[in-house]
Amino acid sequence: MIGKVRAGFRDTPLGPAAVIWSFGYLLLDAIAFLIGRAAPGVTLLASLPMFALGVGQTIALNHLRTGPVLQSAWLRWPALVVAVVAATAVQTLFDVYWMRFLAENLFPAWQEWALDIDLQRLLTVGFGYAWTFCLALTLLAAMRAAQDNARRAANAETEAANAVSAALRLQLNPHFLFNTLNSISGLVTLDRKQEAESMIDRLAEFLRASLNADPIEDVMLAHEIDTIDAYLHIESARFGDRLEIQIDLAPGTEDAKVPNFILQPLVENAIKHGVSALQGTALLYISAAREGDMLMLTVVNSSPESNGESSRPPAGTGVGLANSRQRLANRYGGKASLETGPVGDRYRATIRMPFLT
C-alpha cells in the first residue's frame, strides 16, 4: 500500500508540484528568518493554505495543458497563458489578504508590512507566483516527455526481444526439415516407399503443429510434448528399434507455460549426437518436474563417448543450444538457464525456468 502511494506521488503531477511549491515556501521561510521577520518555521506554517492552493492550481493548469479539451496548439497556448495569469492573480490576492488577516489577528509584528497592499507589492508577489507556475508546468512537461520516451523505449525493447525470439525460434525448422527430407530421399533411393510415405505423413503432421503456433507465445507443456512426440515419430521411422523413447511428466506440470518449441533443439541434438552416433540401441529420456517455483525440463540420451564410438562436440557450440539460451534470456532474463554436460554414460540437457500456469 505504501509503495503504491509512493509510486502515485512520484509518477503523477502531484509529486513534482508539491516538491516545487514546498521548495518555494521553504525559501520564503528562510528569507523571513534572515531579515528578522519571523522565527524559523512560522512563515512556513502560515503559508500552508497558499501551498495547498498553489499545488491545486498547478495540477489544474497541467490538466488543461495535457487534457483533451484544447486539442489545437493555436488554441492551447493562448488559453494556457490566460489560465496562468488568472491563477497568478488568484494566488497573489489570496497571499496578500491571508497575510493581512494573520497580521491583524495572530502576528501584530507583521502589520508594518502586511497591512500595506499597494501595486508594487502585488506586482512583486505576482511575479514570484507567475515564475513558480511556469517553472512547475515546464518541469511537469519535461517529466511527461521523459516518461513517454521511457515507455516507447521499453515497448521498442520488448518488440525487439520478441522479434529476436521469433527469429531464433524459426531458425530451427529449416535445419530439421533439411535432415528429414534427406532421410525421405534415402528411403526412396532404397525403394522403401511405404516407409517414405509414412515419414511424409508424419512430417506434415509435425509441420502443421509447428506452423500453426505463434513463435513468440508460450504454450502449455502438454502441447509442447505433443509436438515433440510428432517429431519423434518421424525420427522413429528413421531409426526403428534403435531408438528407445521415454517421456515422464510429473503430475501438475502439463499445464505449465513454456516457450514454444523450447525442447525441440535439445531433442534434436540428442538424436543427432546420441542416437545417430551409436551403432546399437540408444535411449532418449524426456522429463518434467517442479522444484518450488521452478520448472525443470530434462533431456537425457545415451552418449557414444561411453563406448568409444564417437566424440560429442563441446556443449553450446550448435545453433540450436545457442538459440535456446538466447530465447530463455529474452523471455525470463536471469531467472532461466540451460545446462548441458555428461552424466555417467549419458548426456543431459536441463532447462530451469519459472513455473508459470
Side-chain angles (χ1 to χ4, degrees), residues 270-300:
I271 296 292
K272 179 180 179 181
H273 300 298
V275 181
S276 297
L278 282 171
Q279 299 299 321
T281 301
L283 171 67
L284 176 62
Y285 176 74
I286 303 172
S287 67
R290 181 176 183 178
E291 293 185 2
D293 59 352
M294 300 297 290
L295 176 65
M296 309 283 293
L297 302 178
T298 303
V299 177
V300 178

Coordinates of all heavy atoms in Angstrom, one line a residue, residues 270-300:
A270 N 20.0 -34.4 -29.1 CA 20.1 -35.8 -28.6 C 20.1 -36.8 -29.7 O 20.8 -37.8 -29.6 CB 19.0 -36.0 -27.6
I271 N 19.2 -36.6 -30.7 CA 19.1 -37.5 -31.8 C 20.4 -37.5 -32.6 O 21.0 -38.5 -33.0 CB 17.9 -37.2 -32.7 CG1 16.6 -37.4 -31.9 CG2 17.9 -38.0 -34.0 CD1 16.3 -38.8 -31.6
K272 N 20.8 -36.3 -32.9 CA 22.0 -36.1 -33.8 C 23.3 -36.6 -33.2 O 24.1 -37.3 -33.8 CB 22.1 -34.6 -34.1 CG 23.3 -34.3 -35.0 CD 23.4 -32.8 -35.3 CE 24.6 -32.5 -36.2 NZ 24.7 -31.0 -36.5
H273 N 23.5 -36.3 -31.9 CA 24.8 -36.6 -31.3 C 24.8 -37.9 -30.5 O 25.8 -38.4 -30.1 CB 25.3 -35.5 -30.4 CG 25.5 -34.2 -31.2 ND1 26.4 -34.1 -32.2 CD2 24.9 -33.0 -31.1 CE1 26.3 -32.8 -32.7 NE2 25.4 -32.2 -32.0
G274 N 23.6 -38.4 -30.2 CA 23.5 -39.6 -29.4 C 23.0 -40.8 -30.2 O 23.8 -41.7 -30.5
V275 N 21.8 -40.7 -30.7 CA 21.2 -41.9 -31.4 C 22.0 -42.1 -32.7 O 22.4 -43.2 -33.1 CB 19.7 -41.7 -31.7 CG1 19.2 -42.9 -32.4 CG2 19.0 -41.4 -30.4
S276 N 22.2 -41.1 -33.5 CA 22.9 -41.2 -34.8 C 24.3 -41.7 -34.7 O 24.8 -42.4 -35.6 CB 22.8 -39.9 -35.6 OG 21.5 -39.5 -35.8
A277 N 24.9 -41.4 -33.6 CA 26.3 -41.7 -33.5 C 26.5 -43.1 -32.9 O 27.7 -43.6 -32.9 CB 27.1 -40.7 -32.6
L278 N 25.5 -43.8 -32.4 CA 25.6 -45.1 -31.8 C 25.2 -46.2 -32.8 O 24.3 -46.0 -33.6 CB 24.7 -45.2 -30.6 CG 25.2 -44.5 -29.3 CD1 24.1 -44.5 -28.2 CD2 26.4 -45.3 -28.8
Q279 N 25.9 -47.3 -32.7 CA 25.5 -48.5 -33.6 C 24.4 -49.3 -33.0 O 23.6 -49.8 -33.8 CB 26.8 -49.4 -33.7 CG 28.0 -48.7 -34.3 CD 27.7 -48.2 -35.7 OE1 27.0 -48.9 -36.5 NE2 28.2 -47.0 -36.0
G280 N 24.2 -49.3 -31.7 CA 23.2 -50.1 -31.1 C 22.0 -49.2 -30.7 O 21.8 -48.1 -31.2
T281 N 21.2 -49.8 -29.7 CA 20.0 -49.1 -29.2 C 20.5 -47.9 -28.4 O 21.4 -48.0 -27.6 CB 19.2 -50.1 -28.4 OG1 18.8 -51.2 -29.2 CG2 17.9 -49.3 -27.9
A282 N 19.8 -46.8 -28.6 CA 20.0 -45.6 -27.8 C 18.8 -45.1 -27.1 O 17.7 -45.3 -27.6 CB 20.5 -44.5 -28.7
L283 N 19.0 -44.6 -25.9 CA 17.9 -44.2 -25.0 C 17.7 -42.7 -25.2 O 18.7 -41.9 -25.1 CB 18.1 -44.5 -23.6 CG 17.1 -43.9 -22.6 CD1 15.7 -44.5 -22.7 CD2 17.6 -44.1 -21.1
L284 N 16.5 -42.2 -25.3 CA 16.1 -40.8 -25.2 C 15.1 -40.6 -24.2 O 14.0 -41.2 -24.3 CB 15.6 -40.3 -26.6 CG 15.1 -38.8 -26.6 CD1 16.3 -37.9 -26.3 CD2 14.5 -38.5 -28.0
Y285 N 15.4 -39.9 -23.1 CA 14.5 -39.7 -21.9 C 14.2 -38.3 -21.8 O 15.1 -37.4 -21.7 CB 15.2 -40.3 -20.7 CG 14.5 -40.1 -19.4 CD1 13.3 -40.9 -19.1 CD2 14.9 -39.1 -18.5 CE1 12.6 -40.7 -17.9 CE2 14.2 -39.0 -17.3 CZ 13.1 -39.7 -17.0 OH 12.4 -39.6 -15.9
I286 N 12.9 -37.9 -21.7 CA 12.4 -36.6 -21.6 C 11.6 -36.5 -20.3 O 10.7 -37.3 -20.1 CB 11.6 -36.1 -22.8 CG1 12.4 -36.2 -24.1 CG2 11.1 -34.7 -22.6 CD1 11.6 -36.0 -25.3
S287 N 11.9 -35.5 -19.4 CA 11.1 -35.5 -18.2 C 10.9 -34.0 -17.8 O 11.5 -33.1 -18.3 CB 11.9 -36.1 -17.0 OG 13.1 -35.4 -16.7
A288 N 9.8 -33.8 -17.0 CA 9.5 -32.5 -16.5 C 9.2 -32.7 -15.0 O 8.4 -33.6 -14.6 CB 8.3 -31.9 -17.2
A289 N 9.7 -31.8 -14.2 CA 9.4 -31.8 -12.7 C 9.4 -30.4 -12.2 O 9.9 -29.5 -12.8 CB 10.5 -32.6 -12.0
R290 N 8.7 -30.3 -11.1 CA 8.7 -29.0 -10.4 C 9.5 -29.0 -9.1 O 9.4 -29.9 -8.3 CB 7.2 -28.6 -10.1 CG 7.1 -27.2 -9.4 CD 5.6 -26.9 -9.2 NE 5.5 -25.6 -8.7 CZ 4.3 -25.0 -8.4 NH1 3.2 -25.6 -8.7 NH2 4.3 -23.7 -7.9
E291 N 10.3 -27.9 -9.0 CA 11.1 -27.7 -7.8 C 10.8 -26.3 -7.2 O 11.3 -25.3 -7.7 CB 12.6 -27.9 -8.0 CG 13.0 -29.3 -8.4 CD 14.5 -29.4 -8.6 OE1 15.2 -28.4 -8.3 OE2 15.0 -30.5 -8.9
G292 N 9.9 -26.3 -6.2 CA 9.5 -25.0 -5.7 C 8.7 -24.2 -6.8 O 7.7 -24.6 -7.3
D293 N 9.3 -23.0 -7.1 CA 8.6 -22.2 -8.1 C 9.4 -22.3 -9.4 O 9.2 -21.4 -10.3 CB 8.6 -20.7 -7.6 CG 10.0 -20.2 -7.3 OD1 11.0 -21.0 -7.3 OD2 10.2 -19.0 -7.1
M294 N 10.1 -23.3 -9.6 CA 10.9 -23.5 -10.9 C 10.4 -24.8 -11.5 O 10.0 -25.8 -10.9 CB 12.4 -23.6 -10.6 CG 13.0 -22.4 -9.9 SD 12.9 -20.9 -11.0 CE 14.0 -21.3 -12.3
L295 N 10.4 -24.8 -12.9 CA 10.1 -26.0 -13.7 C 11.4 -26.5 -14.3 O 12.2 -25.7 -14.8 CB 9.2 -25.6 -14.8 CG 8.8 -26.6 -15.9 CD1 8.0 -27.8 -15.2 CD2 8.1 -26.0 -17.0
M296 N 11.6 -27.8 -14.2 CA 12.8 -28.5 -14.7 C 12.5 -29.3 -15.9 O 11.7 -30.3 -15.7 CB 13.5 -29.3 -13.6 CG 13.7 -28.6 -12.3 SD 15.1 -27.5 -12.3 CE 16.4 -28.7 -12.5
L297 N 13.0 -29.0 -17.0 CA 12.8 -29.8 -18.2 C 14.2 -30.5 -18.6 O 15.2 -29.8 -18.7 CB 12.4 -29.0 -19.4 CG 11.1 -28.2 -19.2 CD1 10.8 -27.4 -20.4 CD2 9.9 -29.1 -18.9
T298 N 14.2 -31.8 -18.7 CA 15.4 -32.5 -18.9 C 15.3 -33.5 -20.1 O 14.3 -34.1 -20.3 CB 15.7 -33.4 -17.6 OG1 15.8 -32.5 -16.5 CG2 17.1 -34.1 -17.8
V299 N 16.4 -33.5 -20.9 CA 16.5 -34.4 -22.0 C 17.8 -35.1 -21.8 O 18.9 -34.5 -21.7 CB 16.5 -33.6 -23.3 CG1 16.7 -34.6 -24.5 CG2 15.2 -32.9 -23.5
V300 N 17.7 -36.5 -21.7 CA 18.9 -37.3 -21.5 C 19.0 -38.3 -22.6 O 17.9 -38.9 -23.0 CB 18.8 -38.1 -20.1 CG1 20.0 -39.0 -19.9 CG2 18.7 -37.1 -19.0

